[in-house]
Amino acid sequence: MFKNDSQSIQHLLGAEKKAEERVNQARKRKRCAFLQAKHLRLKQAKEEAQAEIEQLRQEREKEFKEYEAKYLGSKRKTMS
C-alpha cells in the first residue's frame, strides 16, 4: 500500500494529528456545554433569589403599614 516506511510513518502522524484535533474539538464542545449549563443554573438561582427578596420586601412593607396604622394612626387621631 505504501511505498516505504517513511510514507507509512507520515500517514500515521497525519492520522494522529487529525484524531488529536477531533478530541480537542470535542473537549471544547463539552466545556462550552458545561459553561452554558452553569450559566443557566446561575441565572435561575438569581431569578429565584430576586423573587424571594421581592416577596420578603412585600411582607415587610405590609407589616410596616399595619404597624404604622396601629401606632401612628392612633397618635394622629389624638393630635388632631
Side-chain angles (χ1 to χ4, degrees), residues 46-57:
K46 181 180 177 183
E47 290 171 354
E48 290 172 2
Q50 287 175 332
E52 187 175 344
I53 289 169
E54 181 61 24
Q55 181 183 0
L56 288 172
R57 188 193 64 75

Side-chain angles (χ1 to χ4, degrees), residues 35-49:
L35 291 176
Q36 286 175 343
K38 184 177 179 180
H39 173 73
L40 290 176
R41 288 191 306 270
L42 289 172
K43 184 177 179 182
Q44 181 181 4
K46 181 180 177 183
E47 290 171 354
E48 290 172 2

Side-chain angles (χ1 to χ4, degrees), residues 44-76:
Q44 181 181 4
K46 181 180 177 183
E47 290 171 354
E48 290 172 2
Q50 287 175 332
E52 187 175 344
I53 289 169
E54 181 61 24
Q55 181 183 0
L56 288 172
R57 188 193 64 75
Q58 289 175 358
E59 289 174 9
R60 297 294 176 163
E61 183 74 23
K62 181 182 174 188
E63 290 173 3
F64 176 74
K65 297 273 185 197
E66 290 171 356
Y67 175 85
E68 187 178 44
K70 183 177 178 181
Y71 292 102
L72 296 179
S74 60
K75 286 185 179 180
R76 288 183 184 156

Side-chain angles (χ1 to χ4, degrees), residues 7 12-13 19 25-27 30 32 34 41 60 67 72:
Q7 282 182 325
L12 289 173
L13 290 173
Q25 288 173 352
R27 285 181 179 154
K30 183 179 178 182
C32 185
F34 171 77
R41 288 191 306 270
R60 297 294 176 163
Y67 175 85
L72 296 179

